[in-house]
Amino acid sequence: GENVEQHPSTLSVQEGDSAVIKCTYSDSASNYFPWYKQELGKRPQLIIDIRSNVGEKKDQRIAVTLNKTAKHFSLHITETQPEDSAVYFCAASQGGFKTIFGAGTRLFVKA
Amino acid sequence: KAGVTQTPRYLIKTRGQQVTLSCSPISGHRSVSWYQQTPGQGLQFLFEYFSETQRNKGNFPGRFSGRQFSNSRSEMNVSTLELGDSALYLCASSLAQAGGATDTQYFGPGTRLTVL
């Protein structure tokens, strides 16, 4: 069945450093790739998304890249801050239907 | 617009009982998906409803069921509860327009179910 693999499961960085989280999807029909951030005790919140007709998208310190050929997409956070500490989920879907989530990456940003 | 709401927020049940959880999507959203979240297990897809029809189903036993009403509100039911059903149950709604122009899922706060 469809699957999204996410790595690493845990990531610890020093404040100010960059963090990169990588995901691989299996369903070639996937065309929408959102990233969610979930802080402790809160609901997942969309932070950035990318569609299959775009290779890269940036929003301030956050960027996402997509390689459709390799079925890879990645989240890049630059100049990390302690408030970036959370669990991040990648997901892949077909036009918003049948969304499959990765297992999540717990990011720790050390001050 | 009001966000996705879920009721109840917390629930304690005993093994063997059944439970019904409710989700009200953002006004105008036609798709509702349900997820189970347990510590270290990420978001496990349960099912997705669109226009009162179940479009997709995850790999959960038949004890887990759901439905969607004409106003897009959705309920999920778990019968014969087991200890392992203790989890945070999240629903998410999306606009799901034709062509997928707006595909983002917005999550509710979740219902934390504890089975004793």
Side-chain angles (χ1 to χ4, degrees):
Chain A
E2 294 83 2
N3 185 47
V4 175
E5 292 188 0
Q6 183 172 347
H7 299 280
S9 57
T10 306
L11 180 59
S12 184
V13 300
Q14 204 67 35
E15 182 179 1
D17 287 350
S18 295
V20 180
I21 302 170
K22 298 182 179 182
C23 290
T24 303
Y25 61 99
S26 60
D27 188 355
S28 56
S30 297
N31 59 5
Y32 176 64
F33 307 91
W35 286 86
Y36 288 84
K37 174 184 180 182
Q38 187 177 29
E39 297 176 80
L40 192 62
K42 297 188 177 180
R43 73 187 78 185
Q45 299 266 19
L46 179 78
I47 55 171
I48 195 167
D49 57 11
I50 192 167
R51 302 182 193 282
S52 59
N53 58 348
V54 176
E56 184 173 358
K57 184 177 179 181
K58 190 173 181 180
D59 183 5
Q60 298 183 339
R61 297 186 298 109
I62 295 173
V64 58
T65 58
L66 171 65
N67 183 331
K68 281 185 62 182
T69 304
K71 296 182 187 173
H72 288 167
F73 58 114
S74 301
L75 177 71
H76 304 252
I77 305 174
T78 58
E79 301 171 21
T80 53
Q81 302 166 2
E83 52 265 38
D84 293 330
S85 296
V87 178
Y88 291 81
F89 293 98
C90 64
S93 76
Q94 301 172 39
F97 299 137
K98 206 172 183 180
T99 301
I100 304 298
F101 283 82
T105 295
R106 187 171 295 277
L107 174 64
F108 296 96
V109 180
K110 296 175 287 186
Chain B
K1 281 185 179 178
V4 179
T5 59
Q6 291 186 246
T7 57
R9 294 293 312 279
Y10 302 91
L11 206 50
I12 299 176
K13 292 286 187 179
T14 56
R15 281 178 297 175
Q17 289 186 308
Q18 73 160 13
V19 67
T20 299
L21 312 182
S22 181
C23 172
S24 292
I26 292 172
S27 177
H29 283 196
R30 300 164 65 193
S31 173
V32 174
S33 297
W34 288 90
Y35 299 89
Q36 181 194 65
Q37 186 173 37
T38 52
Q41 291 298 313
L43 294 159
Q44 302 294 314
F45 173 72
L46 281 155
F47 26 64
E48 179 207 352
Y49 286 88
F50 176 77
S51 292
E52 302 179 65
T53 301
Q54 186 180 90
R55 291 178 60 93
N56 292 294
K57 190 176 190 303
N59 296 323
F60 278 81
R63 300 185 296 108
F64 292 81
S65 62
R67 59 178 176 170
Q68 187 180 33
F69 302 94
S70 57
N71 61 357
S72 293
R73 189 177 71 84
S74 178
E75 289 181 346
M76 68 163 281
N77 184 278
V78 188
S79 62
T80 320
L81 284 166
E82 300 177 0
L83 295 179
D85 296 333
S86 294
L88 179 68
Y89 290 87
L90 291 159
C91 78
S93 75
S94 65
L95 199 56
Q97 284 184 325
T102 307
D103 311 314
T104 303
Q105 290 193 326
Y106 297 88
F107 282 87
T111 294
R112 185 162 297 282
L113 171 65
T114 301
V115 182
L116 301 176

